[in-house]
Amino acid sequence: MNVAILGVGTVGNEVANVLIRNQKLISARSGMHIVPVIGVVRDLKKARNSQIPLTDDIDSVINRDDIDVYVELMGGIEKPYEIVSKILAKNKPVVTANKAMLAYHRNELERLAGDTPFGYEASVAGGIPIIKALREGLSANHIQKIVGIMNGTSNYILTNMMQRGVKFDEALKKAQELGYAEADPTFDVGGFDTAHKLLILASLAYSVHAKPEDILIEGISDITNEDIYFANEFEYAIKLLAVAKRRDDKVELRVHPALIQKDKMIAKVDGVMNAVSVSGDAVGESLFYGAGAGGSATASAVISDLIDIAREVKNPMLGYKAPLEILPLGLFKPNEIKTKYYLRLKVADEIGVLANITNLMSQNNLSIDSFLQKPRTDKNSDCSTLYFTTHTCLEADMLRVVGLLEKENYIKDKPFMIRIEE
Ligand code: HSE
């Protein structure tokens, strides 16, 4: 089986390397000799240690008759979508790691592919076989909840901030040096990369085909040392979470930093590692843990798709052979989310301020679960930081309170909230 690799960067190189290194094993497992015959790059002058011939002429590769499968690792959204569409139009199988393209175009790609194999195991959580888990191993279940840590860069940053007191920028720089971050790291720290992955899982779990603009996406860049202090003090970890949660006949899809009690297993997932917890009505909770980024782990997932193609495995691309007619699930709007919250407020330390805040909260259906105010030590400042956590409430109510607080003179900094995941 001849393979062309479109995009030979860190991952593309590793796909070729592992195919060559593990050739005998892969042949025995797949029943075929899977050969990376050509790689396409944008700039041939860039030095690479490629074990396969390279070209910058993508059209010539797409038009070759001797290529059996194309591996798309170019990155971007519209350009790869155009190229993959052309390849599928020729009924040639495609394997991709491109989560951004899938976040926007997975439904069109499913239609274009029809019966032509289309693999994307590497698009979510790198080396963790979570696509297979949802599409195959857990296919008997109504999925009640998915909670994932699916961006290694953000998890690396948050772990370093919590455990070592490292500043945000410094931790980001290190993650970039280690090769985990996206070309534009705002995709990582802004939550978009995680959201792309969540949307792919939501299609498999619920047949809900949302786009990034339909869901709540918040990143980690506003988290301060004060939040880290509170989290450590109250035995919470802070993680950038992807959450998919079914409530009645609708699904919440959201990406945001979250406080999670430190004794939860997912709270212990540190550094660049990823984890996805899936709760199904029959199976209960399953937790998948592994490397979510990096060339070798991602190549492992890409090659598993190539082996499936060689074996002629026929799985419906997005997990459904027929439309889900029983109970089509809707999507909650972001302000219909229900969860608990942590709220940090910098206030003027004056009579009546706390009473005013708690009144505002109670008038807007917020019930306080805990409260912390440290004695003021800085004699030169007349401000205090107040920390609240709430019982479960509606996002719309929380946002209204934050909006009302912002207008109060005693509020000295933008109020900041973090959702709490139970
Ligand atoms: N930038 C991603 C991460 C790479 O940090 O997890 C894998 O998608």
Side-chain angles (χ1 to χ4, degrees):
M1 190 168 93
N2 287 342
V3 177
I5 303 175
L6 313 181
V8 189
T10 317
V11 177
N13 248 327
E14 274 303 298
V15 170
N17 292 346
V18 177
L19 279 173
I20 293 164
R21 190 175 76 226
N22 292 354
Q23 182 202 314
K24 283 194 181 137
L25 175 82
I26 291 170
S27 296
R29 288 198 172 138
S30 66
M32 272 194 194
H33 191 185
I34 303 178
V35 192
V37 289
I38 184 84
V40 179
V41 294
R42 244 194 316 249
D43 183 0
L44 274 172
K45 283 194 255 21
K46 263 197 192 168
R48 287 181 183 84
N49 292 324
S50 177
Q51 296 201 59
I52 57 171
L54 298 178
T55 172
D56 57 3
D57 182 0
I58 192 158
D59 289 330
S60 72
V61 174
I62 293 173
N63 291 327
R64 268 172 70 161
D65 289 332
D66 63 331
I67 303 292
D68 301 302
V69 186
Y70 289 84
V71 174
E72 185 278 307
L73 301 169
M74 299 161 53
I77 300 177
E78 297 309 325
K79 184 75 186 159
Y81 174 52
E82 187 193 314
I83 286 163
V84 168
S85 303
K86 275 191 201 162
I87 297 167
L88 290 174
K90 292 161 72 92
N91 298 322
K92 290 281 174 96
V94 172
V95 172
T96 183
N98 190 331
K99 56 251 160 169
M101 175 179 74
L102 289 164
Y104 284 96
H105 294 301
R106 61 199 180 284
N107 290 75
E108 295 97 310
L109 287 166
E110 184 192 37
R111 278 195 293 277
L112 285 172
D115 289 332
T116 305
F118 187 105
Y120 57 100
E121 183 62 69
S123 65
V124 181
I128 303 176
I130 190 65
I131 305 294
K132 270 188 186 296
L134 282 170
R135 194 171 51 194
E136 297 168 36
L138 300 174
S139 58
N141 288 263
H142 283 285
I143 304 299
Q144 294 147 331
K145 187 173 166 183
I146 300 175
V147 177
I149 295 174
M150 300 194 290
N151 185 266
T153 301
S154 299
N155 205 39
Y156 180 87
I157 293 171
L158 289 172
T159 304
N160 275 279
M161 287 173 78
M162 290 221 52
Q163 294 179 356
R164 298 197 189 91
V166 172
K167 295 249 164 54
F168 178 88
D169 292 341
E170 199 184 318
L172 171 60
K173 196 161 160 268
K174 188 85 192 67
Q176 284 175 298
E177 279 164 20
L178 290 168
Y180 302 133
E182 297 298 305
D184 174 357
T186 54
F187 267 65
D188 295 302
V189 298
F192 305 107
D193 174 76
T194 304
H196 295 158
K197 293 165 180 168
L198 176 66
L199 291 168
I200 295 169
L201 299 187
S203 280
L204 288 159
Y206 303 108
S207 193
V208 167
H209 301 308
K211 296 245 186 323
E213 37 287 350
D214 302 326
I215 69 167
L216 175 87
I217 306 174
E218 268 178 27
I220 61 167
S221 43
D222 290 335
I223 292 170
T224 65
N225 287 345
E226 286 171 306
D227 306 317
I228 302 286
Y229 157 80
F230 177 89
N232 278 325
E233 196 75 2
F234 285 84
E235 294 294 313
Y236 284 112
I238 303 180
K239 299 288 176 193
L240 178 62
L241 285 192
V243 180
K245 203 181 273 183
R246 179 167 168 185
R247 224 181 332 127
D248 305 322
D249 294 345
K250 282 190 174 184
V251 182
E252 283 182 9
L253 296 180
R254 49 190 164 97
V255 173
H256 52 74
L259 290 161
I260 318 167
Q261 276 158 352
K262 275 188 181 165
D263 58 3
K264 293 264 161 61
M265 278 172 81
I266 202 155
K268 301 180 201 299
V269 175
D270 287 330
V272 75
M273 299 307 280
N274 280 200
V276 188
S277 150
V278 183
S279 300
D281 64 339
V283 74
E285 184 183 3
S286 301
L287 181 66
F288 302 82
Y289 171 87
S296 176
T298 311
S300 156
V302 167
I303 296 171
S304 78
D305 279 337
L306 292 173
I307 293 173
D308 271 358
I309 292 170
R311 285 170 170 169
E312 295 184 42
V313 171
K314 288 194 179 4
N315 278 313
M317 178 190 153
L318 293 175
Y320 297 82
K321 273 190 164 292
L324 187 62
E325 273 158 11
I326 330 150
L327 209 66
L329 295 175
L331 182 66
F332 281 109
K333 293 194 190 97
N335 67 0
E336 294 172 334
I337 286 163
K338 279 188 179 168
T339 189
K340 297 182 171 185
Y341 295 83
Y342 151 93
L343 181 64
R344 162 173 47 85
L345 299 174
K346 189 171 179 193
V347 299
D349 195 359
E350 291 162 2
I351 291 173
V353 164
L354 184 58
N356 197 294
I357 294 168
T358 54
N359 263 337
L360 237 158
M361 287 182 162
S362 65
Q363 283 156 12
N364 287 282
N365 313 317
L366 296 195
S367 171
I368 296 164
D369 187 30
S370 71
F371 167 67
L372 174 73
Q373 176 178 8
K374 279 194 295 178
R376 233 167 61 199
T377 47
D378 184 357
K379 298 275 178 301
N380 300 319
S381 162
D382 53 4
C383 288
S384 264
T385 303
L386 311 183
Y387 305 87
F388 298 86
T389 64
T390 72
H391 290 290
T392 302
C393 63
L394 194 63
E395 176 99 359
D397 287 333
M398 187 65 188
L399 293 178
R400 194 176 329 105
V401 166
V402 169
L404 290 167
L405 284 170
E406 273 174 349
K407 292 186 197 132
E408 298 286 349
N409 289 334
Y410 57 75
I411 296 287
K412 298 297 173 197
D413 208 352
K414 201 172 157 50
F416 182 66
M417 67 179 190
I418 304 180
R419 294 163 192 85
I420 302 172
E421 191 57 36
E422 297 233 274

